[in-house]
Amino acid sequence: MARKRSLFALASVVVGLFVAFPSAAQAHGSTSDPVSRNYGCWQRWGSDFQNPAMATQDPMCWQAWQDNTNAMWNWNGLYRDGVGGNHQRAVPDGTLCSGGQTEGGRYRSMDTPGNWRATTKPQRFRLNIYDQASHGADYLHVYVTKQGFNPLTQRLRWSDIERVATTGRYAPSNNYAVDVNAGSRTGRHVVFTIWQASHSDQAYYLCSDVNFTQTLRVNSAIQPS
């Protein structure tokens, strides 16, 4: 009986690992710098997600973990299939950060306004995408919220953002980059990125929280072909 209980416990652990960590075949990607909301939560708390300190140290991640842990375990799967380039029809106002509440609402906590952990960036910066599965990209569209938008209290709408960068195709790789000019924006903003993957009609919708300064800094990564 003890041996059966041990085998059952081992099987439960193995099943749990498959649920928590997507296999390489299922892997996709996200914005890595400035980091997207759910990828940032996974980076900071993935190995410590039961720590009650998260509630005070990182309250937006805390509410996200409580709502649906798979939004973080599957940080690389915030996409919609078959959009056909009509992103505004597929993703209604107020749901941009969850990709129109894709995957049955798995990522809906990403739409919640609040004090998300923000990355400090200059007004001119380089945005990086981590493509775990090397899907390639037909294009990247990068938007930034208009001055006056308050991510602490407002859900993101299409009318709140302006496109500041667009690219051509990228050959399959693990990292893609695009130079972004946020103009005269200062303070807290949301960078909203659409990554149209090349392997199929699969569009990723990625929200990154930033705090704009006027200090120039450029990091390196692969540019489009």
Side-chain angles (χ1 to χ4, degrees), residues 14 37 49 54 69 78 85 87 108 111 115 118 159 207-208 211:
V14 171
R37 289 178 172 178
F49 65 95
M54 191 196 318
T69 57
L78 208 169
H87 303 292
R108 63 188 177 188
D111 292 318
N115 191 20
S159 60
C207 280
S208 304
N211 183 36

Side-chain angles (χ1 to χ4, degrees), residues 131-211:
D131 182 357
Q132 195 175 31
S134 298
H135 285 322
D138 286 346
Y139 56 80
L140 303 178
H141 291 332
V142 183
Y143 302 79
V144 182
T145 49
K146 299 173 183 177
Q147 193 69 26
F149 176 82
N150 187 351
L152 278 66
T153 61
Q154 295 176 259
R155 288 177 176 262
L156 195 62
R157 304 170 301 172
W158 290 100
S159 60
D160 295 322
I161 57 179
E162 294 178 337
R163 190 189 299 183
V164 295
T166 191
T167 76
R169 293 177 61 88
Y170 294 76
S173 178
N174 289 136
N175 294 281
Y176 315 124
V178 54
D179 289 326
V180 177
N181 182 354
S184 60
R185 291 172 174 85
T186 57
R188 288 293 299 266
H189 283 272
V190 175
V191 176
F192 178 64
T193 305
I194 299 175
W195 161 27
Q196 182 67 47
S198 294
H199 72 298
S200 66
D201 184 4
Q202 193 173 84
Y204 292 75
Y205 302 99
L206 309 166
C207 280
S208 304
D209 293 271
V210 298
N211 183 36

